[in-house]
Structures are given as structure tokens and as C-alpha cells.
Amino acid sequence: MAEARQAAAFRLDLGQGTPGQWWNPALKEVGLAGLRSWKRSLARCRDDVLCGACPAGLASGFFLLAAIQGSRFMQLDPSLGLVDWIKASLPDWGVRWLPGFQGALAATIFAGGLWMALLLTLHVVLRLLLRYQGWLSETRGTLSLPTRSWLALVRIFSGRGPTLYTYQRSLPCLPLPSAEGTVAKYLESVRPLLSDKDFRDLSSQAQTFLHTEAPRLQALLGLKAWCSANYVSDWWEEYIYLRSRSPLLGNSNFYILDFLSKAPTPLQAARAGNAVYAMMRFREQLSRGEIEPATVLGMRPLCSAQYRQMFNTTRVPGVSRDQLCHVRDSRSRHVAVLHQGRFFRLGTHGGPGGRLLSPRVLEQKFQRILDDTTPARPLEEHLAVLTAAPRALWAQARASLQAGDRSTRAALEMVENAAFFVCLEETPGSSNTPPEVLLDELARSLLVGTGHSRWLDKSLNLVVFANGRMGLNVEHAWADTPVPSHLWEAVLAAECFELGYTADGHCRGTPSPTVGPPERLLWAVPEEVATSIPPALQKAQALARDTECHVLPFTHFGRGFTRRCHTPGSSFVQLALQLARFRDQGSFCLTYEACVTRLFCEGRTETLRSCTLETCAFVRAMEDPGLTDAQRLALFRVAAEKHWALCRAALTGEGIDRHLFCLYLVSCLLHLPSPFLTQVRSERWKLCTSQSPTRQPQLFDPASHVDYAFCGGGFGPMMMAMVCLTSSWERV
């Protein structure tokens, strides 16, 4: 939901230009977007072949080569004469001392060509199959014959044991909706919020837009959709995240909490040891492509592009725009740790072969940090607050740190090249804080901390509290919430059901008598940086004090009840939120609900506008004492069906807001002002909600592991906003 705030504040100023000018910078930006898309695709091709994500690996190629060479040895010719033709076409290199060399080379060339042709066929067929969308219209619990046939074909052409990136190159591109369809849906979405006069004026503006600016903007956007894998995502990342100059604290980063109940161990170092081990092991599985592909309803694979930047990634600040910098695993065999204002480099690999250290040894290293009583150096304690400052200010301070002495440059490099950042903190609240209040304090601390206790530029901040509770603070530019949530559920499952703890709360395993202390990172803060810290600290602490979080464990019923009502869970929750908001405020408002578009290559999110005419009719019926329950139930079903139809449209690339965002961006690039798009961009979301999260039931069965209920997470609030956060806990 942080993108709702960023998108609402987005304005693009390109200075003066000639209205209607086609070439610069509009076509230049479109061309660069296409070039970036092709460069990313080519750069990932080698890695996909090596990890067997094509959807066939090198082993199949070697098997095919062996089969062709073996058939030649047995005087068989499965090539129907093509090998002999290739052999005759090869130049005579005079290799007399290697009899049969040219025949073997010709057979190798034929096998390689046949292997590439088979891969291309698999790729094309799989891409055609993944265009099927009939499964979205299926009744819950039943599958039609076409959908069952489609599922069987997808599994056949995916090969045995598909990996995380098996489907990546076969995912379809995000379709570009028509301008007429998007404008019609937009007008329908704002109708319940406008008076008749305001709606007529807006409709008139929309018709003028469709007949004047829209054809030119849509044509240029169509060119970008043709030459890019996704016509939205790179511009969304660039202009909504990387070019935003607002602080990350409370505006962009989001948090994820662990269990609803108490921690599995009260020992801070032990919890950190198991968590770091599980996360680093997940990174190794990720680099080998061994993670199972994420799917919707266990059927349709989702885009996995965001997983590539999960670890070893830092958002490096710039004066006008930031950059996402990613290093290879071989350069990031450590984590950076912050404890009481002191920074440490904690190596995660060692011993023979540089293998990942055991959880017990990692616990020892964390305990050495906790036992270290050395105070922080001057200004070191609050240095991390600069990552919470406005981006331009932090960019200037970072440049000064890079220009400092050798130890400061080395410390900055160690932090930015770390796999992720670990924060060891005291437990918020007091020892007698009630459990329900403690959840609120933990959530608030994970989101904003003390203002100076997170390195917000890192893709992941693992926060471990003194009572054993822990969570994540996640930078938003590289990924949306389902991706780090996938990691987090895997970490919690490994910690509780595989790694475990001893009876006294320590990590299992044998301590190492030779483990050394983590390396202390020393900073010599330049004078120009020192003057920037106090004002940044004052603003960050004020924001932290003004932020409130409330986690509401709802245990009366869950998704099992909504299934028995034959209503999608997200529709049920959204209708309840609209009713609650109307009873609280007495009016309806523009509502933001996030919906994934990862059914398409490089997809991220789309906005689902949950406040519809059907929803308003249901809410008013609930407040009308003259209506019967049967009438209210009928309106409820109509409203739920409308919401699910909007969800299907967003999932299949037929949403509203991302298309309008791109049209607005193209109008800015062309210096072609549009009153209609300006009016759209001026809207403010007063109610922001997240969609019901996708869980991994194979890791946490809600019926048999009630004590391991997952708390979910949340974002910072928008201006005068009510932010409703849905938990991933469900009850049958």
C-alpha cells in the first residue's frame, strides 16, 4: 500500500517543451525501456540454462547428445540424413589423427540444434497454455473439463519438478487495455462518490480526453508494450519508488511480524541464530532455483522476477533518483548487525569449503555481540537515521562517508554488500505489558523503530527483540509483500518444525570452541555528515512517536466460514470494511485495495477500487431497518460478485489505475497536458487496504498448528488515512 501514497504524490516535471513533440524525451524513454527489458532477458538467459529453468536443463541436452552419438555408433541415423549433410558441409580441417572427428562434430551440432528446437517448442507451447484464464471463472471446489485438461498439459510441458524460474520465460506479457475501456471503468468506480453535476462534468472531460489526447498517448504506450516485457513495472519502479525523494521511514518500507502467540524461545541470540541460518539457506536454494514456484490456487504459476533481488540488495540514494544495487552471493557471505548503536560484520560461512555455519555457531556469534559492553563511538549510535532522511540529503551524506577515511568506506561497503541487515533490540514496552498491547508495540517498532535503529536501504532488516520475538522491515522498491512473506513463512516453518531448540532454549547442535568474535565496523563521521544527523533524528523520532499500530486478532471465524457462504474471502472482508467505515464516518470514500498482477511477466500490483455502486447499496441496506435479511443477503451477494469481477479484471491486466498512470506519464513526456488525467491524479485514497495474503498451507496447517498463527504485517498510513491490515491467520 505504500505505492498508494507514492503514486498520489507523484508529479513529473520535465521543464518546458513543445506540446505534441514526439521524439524527445517520449520515444527516447520508450526505447530505453525496451532496451532495458531485452538486456535483462539476455543477462538471465545463461543463469536459467545452468539452473534448468528453460523449462529443461543442461542434463537433457547432454542426454540427447549421448543418444545421437550412441545411435551413430550403432549405425542408426535418427536425423534422417541431416548429420551426413552437416558433415559434408563442414570444412576439411585435415584432422587425420582423429578419425571420425567430423562425424562426431556434425552429430554434436545436430543434437544442439535439435535441443534448442525442442526448448523453443516447449517455451512457445507453455506460453500459449499460460494465456488461458478460464480457471478464474470456475466455481470454488469444482473444475471443468477444459480447466482439468489445461492443468494436465501445463504439468506435462513443465517437465519433471519445475523450479522457481521454470515458467519465467513462458509467462505472457501484460496486455494493454483500450483507453475507452479504462475510462469507462474509471467513471463507474467514482460514480458512488460524486454528485450528479460533478459526475456529468467529469464524464464530459473524459469524452474530450478520448477524442483528443488519448489516441496519441495510447499509440506511444502501445509501442512500449510491444518492445517491453511489461509496459508498467519498470516505469512504476522508476517513478514511484526510485525517483521519490520522500523518506523511506513510514512512507515506503513495510513490516512483517512473526507468530501471534509467544516466541518459541526467549533467548535473543538463539532466535537470531536459527533465523539467519534459515534465511541464508533459503538464499542458497534460491540461487540454485530449488524453491517451488509460487502459484495461485495451486494452478497458475506466478512471476518470480522479484526473488532475484531478495538478498544482497541495497537501495543506494541519489540526488535525483536512487539505484537498486545487487551483488552476487560470493561477495556477500556475511550479515551486518546493529546493536546499541554499534555495527558489526558477522560472517555466516566458514570451515572446510566455506560452508554455511550451523545455527548453534551463529548463536554463539550473536551472543558475543550481546555480551560486548564497548560503547558506540561519537555519532555512530544515530548514524542509521540518515537512511530515514529525505533521499537527497542522505545521498549527499553518503557521498561524504565514501570520501572519508578507509575504515568508514570499508564499513559502508560491508553494510551495503551484506546479505541483509540484523537489528538486535530491546523489547518495546515494559515487562508487565499485556499480550494484546505488546503486539501493537512490536508492530510499531518493526515499522518505525526508534527512528535510527534500521538501515532502511537494505532489502531486508531482520529485527530480533530481547524477549525472542522477531520480524522483518522490508524496503519496497525491489518487491511487493507476497515475495518477502514467502521467505518469512519458509523461515518460520524451518525454525519451528526442522531446526528447533533445546529444552533450555538454545539452538540445537554443538558449540564451537574456536569461534571468533564478529568484526566491529568503525565509522569516522565527517563534520558535514555530523551536522545532518541531529535534524534528521528529530524528524524521524517525531514520526516514530506519531505512528500508531493496532493488531486485531479476529478469531470468531475465518476463510472456512466464507467458503461455506460461497463468497471469496477478500470480497467478504472488503464489504465488512466498507460497512464499518460508513458506520464510523457516515460516508463512502475512494478505497485502495492492492491486487497482484504476477500472472504476467515482471508483474507487480494493480489497484482494485473496492467502493462500488453495488457495495454502497449493500451498506445502505444494512442501515435500513425497513429491509429484511433476505433482501440484504441478496444485495450482499451482488456486491461480492461485483468485487470478485473487479478482482478478476485486475488479475488479468484489465485494471484501471496502472494504465491511467502510464497514460499520465506519457502525457508528461510529450508535454501534452490533459485536464482529465490531472483530475485523476489529484484523487486521494482515504481508505487503504491490503488483499488477503497468499499462504503456504503445506508449511502451516491452521487446523493442526493453531499456536503457529502468522501475524502478517502492514504499511505506514497515508495522509488522514485508515489503513486496514489483513492477517494470514485463518480458522476453519
Side-chain angles (χ1 to χ4, degrees):
M1 288 178 292
E3 65 265 17
R5 176 201 290 268
Q6 308 284 38
F10 168 69
R11 296 292 182 273
L12 182 61
D13 183 11
L14 295 172
Q16 299 296 321
T18 304
Q21 180 182 358
W22 271 85
W23 175 249
N24 191 17
L27 283 180
K28 178 181 177 182
E29 186 67 26
V30 170
L32 289 176
L35 183 62
R36 288 193 298 266
S37 179
W38 281 97
K39 284 178 64 177
R40 284 196 302 268
S41 180
L42 292 175
R44 293 168 180 170
C45 182
R46 172 181 170 274
D47 294 338
D48 289 348
V49 170
L50 292 178
C51 68
C54 291
L58 286 177
S60 62
F62 287 122
F63 175 80
L64 183 60
L65 175 60
I68 297 296
Q69 296 287 9
S71 65
R72 288 185 65 254
F73 180 77
M74 300 175 63
Q75 303 298 318
L76 299 175
D77 186 13
S79 68
L80 303 178
L82 283 176
V83 171
D84 293 333
W85 178 80
I86 295 173
K87 179 180 177 181
S89 302
L90 291 175
D92 185 7
W93 290 316
V95 191
R96 305 182 186 277
W97 50 276
L98 276 178
F101 171 77
Q102 286 186 309
L105 180 59
T108 302
I109 294 174
F110 171 76
L114 180 60
W115 183 63
M116 293 298 294
L118 290 173
L119 286 186
L120 182 61
T121 302
L122 285 173
H123 169 78
V124 171
V125 172
L126 200 52
R127 170 165 285 200
L128 292 174
L129 286 171
L130 294 181
R131 292 178 183 272
Y132 175 73
Q133 297 174 358
W135 59 275
L136 280 169
S137 303
E138 299 286 352
T139 304
R140 286 180 175 269
T142 61
L143 290 178
S144 64
L145 180 60
T147 299
R148 289 200 299 269
S149 304
W150 167 75
L151 262 178
L153 289 172
V154 168
R155 288 168 181 165
I156 290 172
F157 284 96
S158 299
R160 297 178 58 187
T163 61
L164 184 64
Y165 302 117
T166 293
Y167 303 98
Q168 192 61 30
R169 295 185 177 278
S170 301
L171 293 173
C173 297
L174 182 68
L176 177 65
S178 66
E180 293 80 6
T182 296
V183 170
K185 292 176 183 176
Y186 168 76
L187 292 175
E188 182 186 4
S189 72
V190 297
R191 183 63 188 94
L193 309 175
L194 299 177
S195 65
D196 292 342
K197 180 181 181 303
D198 291 339
F199 183 73
R200 284 195 301 270
D201 293 342
L202 184 61
S203 299
S204 177
Q205 274 190 347
Q207 292 303 315
T208 303
F209 167 75
L210 288 175
H211 290 94
T212 54
E213 302 101 0
R216 189 181 301 179
L217 304 182
Q218 184 77 356
L220 196 57
L221 200 54
L223 180 61
K224 184 177 187 295
W226 178 79
C227 66
S228 303
N230 191 299
Y231 77 93
V232 175
S233 292
D234 58 336
W235 280 357
W236 189 254
E237 178 183 297
E238 174 76 13
Y239 292 100
I240 298 301
Y241 294 114
L242 299 183
R243 293 204 184 191
S244 172
R245 301 294 84 199
S246 301
L248 301 184
L249 185 69
N251 293 317
S252 181
N253 287 33
F254 57 92
Y255 80 90
I256 307 176
L257 193 53
D258 58 351
F259 299 120
L260 190 64
S261 58
K262 63 181 181 179
T265 176
L267 301 182
Q268 187 177 19
R271 194 87 197 272
N274 263 347
V276 169
Y277 178 85
M279 292 175 72
M280 296 300 288
R281 189 178 63 176
F282 190 92
R283 186 184 76 163
E284 293 179 352
Q285 295 171 340
L286 197 62
S287 64
R288 295 192 296 263
E290 295 176 354
I291 308 296
E292 291 186 7
T295 60
V296 174
L297 302 178
M299 294 189 293
R300 175 62 160 80
L302 299 175
C303 177
S304 302
Q306 297 176 33
Y307 287 85
R308 299 181 189 271
Q309 298 189 98
M310 179 177 288
F311 297 98
N312 326 332
T313 300
T314 301
R315 178 171 170 172
V316 177
V319 175
S320 59
R321 70 177 296 274
D322 296 349
Q323 285 184 318
L324 287 177
C325 295
H326 176 79
V327 299
R328 292 188 174 273
D329 291 357
S330 57
R331 293 183 55 196
S332 184
R333 302 169 72 84
H334 68 280
V335 296
V337 183
L338 176 62
H339 176 244
Q340 295 183 352
R342 303 164 303 161
F343 293 79
F344 297 86
R345 178 194 180 277
L346 190 147
T348 55
H349 293 71
R355 300 180 62 183
L356 178 62
L357 299 176
S358 69
R360 189 67 178 93
V361 174
L362 291 172
E363 178 191 349
Q364 285 182 272
K365 290 196 170 191
F366 280 112
Q367 192 61 50
R368 295 288 292 268
I369 294 176
L370 294 174
D371 295 339
D372 189 346
T373 57
T374 307
R377 302 178 72 182
L379 298 175
E380 186 182 34
E381 180 181 2
H382 300 142
L383 183 64
V385 76
L386 292 173
T387 65
R391 302 305 290 171
L393 174 64
W394 169 218
Q396 297 169 355
R398 181 181 176 277
S400 299
L401 291 175
Q402 281 189 312
D405 63 13
R406 182 180 301 176
S407 64
T408 301
R409 291 197 302 271
L412 183 63
E413 182 180 357
M414 286 296 178
V415 169
E416 293 184 342
N417 288 350
F420 51 90
F421 199 80
V422 181
C423 310
L424 302 177
E425 295 191 0
E426 295 299 320
T427 304
S430 60
S431 57
N432 56 354
T433 301
E436 61 275 10
V437 178
L438 180 60
L439 274 179
D440 300 344
E441 290 299 318
L442 290 172
R444 192 190 70 84
S445 182
L446 286 171
L447 181 63
V448 294
T450 59
H452 59 84
S453 55
R454 309 280 181 272
W455 198 270
L456 298 171
D457 292 348
K458 289 300 294 181
S459 56
L460 300 169
N461 278 251
L462 172 65
V463 185
V464 186
F465 297 102
N467 65 348
R469 298 302 298 268
M470 67 177 185
L472 289 178
N473 182 286
V474 186
E475 200 281 314
H476 203 350
W478 67 274
D480 301 302
T481 52
V483 174
S485 295
H486 183 180
L487 159 73
W488 194 235
E489 288 192 351
V491 169
L492 296 180
E495 175 196 20
C496 296
F497 305 127
E498 180 184 351
L499 302 176
Y501 298 92
T502 61
D504 54 358
H506 291 283
C507 296
R508 293 174 180 170
T510 305
S512 173
T514 60
V515 63
E519 176 188 356
R520 176 78 181 273
L521 301 179
L522 302 177
W523 305 79
V525 181
E527 182 63 29
E528 58 271 23
V529 177
T531 58
S532 303
I533 292 179
L537 180 63
Q538 183 180 5
K539 292 181 180 179
Q541 289 179 334
L543 176 63
R545 286 193 301 268
D546 290 344
T547 301
E548 262 187 51
C549 290
H550 181 55
V551 179
L552 175 64
F554 185 82
T555 59
H556 299 287
F557 57 84
R559 289 184 179 178
F561 173 77
T562 64
R563 290 194 188 104
R564 290 193 292 272
C565 295
H566 304 289
T567 303
S570 60
S571 301
F572 187 96
V573 171
Q574 289 298 324
L575 292 177
L577 291 175
Q578 293 295 328
L579 177 59
R581 207 271 178 186
F582 185 83
R583 286 177 173 175
D584 182 58
Q585 299 291 323
S587 63
F588 299 101
C589 68
L590 196 63
T591 304
Y592 183 102
E593 180 185 357
C595 183
V596 298
T597 56
R598 289 171 58 209
L599 295 177
F600 303 97
C601 186
E602 299 181 8
R604 293 201 62 160
T605 60
E606 176 58 90
T607 302
L608 201 160
R609 295 174 172 241
S610 306
C611 185
T612 63
L613 288 169
E614 292 80 1
T615 299
C616 295
F618 161 71
V619 170
R620 290 192 177 98
M622 291 296 293
E623 298 300 288
D624 186 352
L627 296 181
T628 64
D629 287 345
Q631 292 173 310
R632 293 167 179 158
L633 180 60
L635 291 172
F636 169 82
R637 296 200 181 281
V638 171
E641 182 56 38
K642 177 63 176 179
H643 179 271
W644 180 236
L646 292 177
C647 186
R648 285 198 302 266
L651 284 170
T652 55
E654 296 293 329
I656 302 171
D657 288 87
R658 298 303 179 265
H659 187 201
L660 291 175
F661 162 78
C662 289
L663 290 173
Y664 172 76
L665 181 57
V666 173
S667 72
C668 294
L669 293 170
L670 290 176
H671 299 281
L672 187 64
S674 169
F676 172 72
L677 293 178
T678 302
Q679 170 65 25
V680 173
R681 300 302 304 163
S682 66
E683 294 176 340
R684 292 293 179 266
W685 306 97
K686 293 185 178 180
L687 178 60
C688 291
T689 71
S690 63
Q691 198 181 37
S692 299
T694 301
R695 297 180 65 256
Q696 301 175 78
Q698 72 275 16
L699 299 179
F700 292 97
D701 180 10
S704 56
H705 298 107
V706 179
D707 292 337
Y708 296 106
F710 182 38
C711 273
F715 294 82
M718 291 184 62
M719 299 79 73
M720 300 298 291
M722 170 186 174
V723 181
C724 299
L725 311 173
T726 58
S727 168
S728 62
W729 185 78
E730 61 182 46
R731 178 178 174 180
V732 180

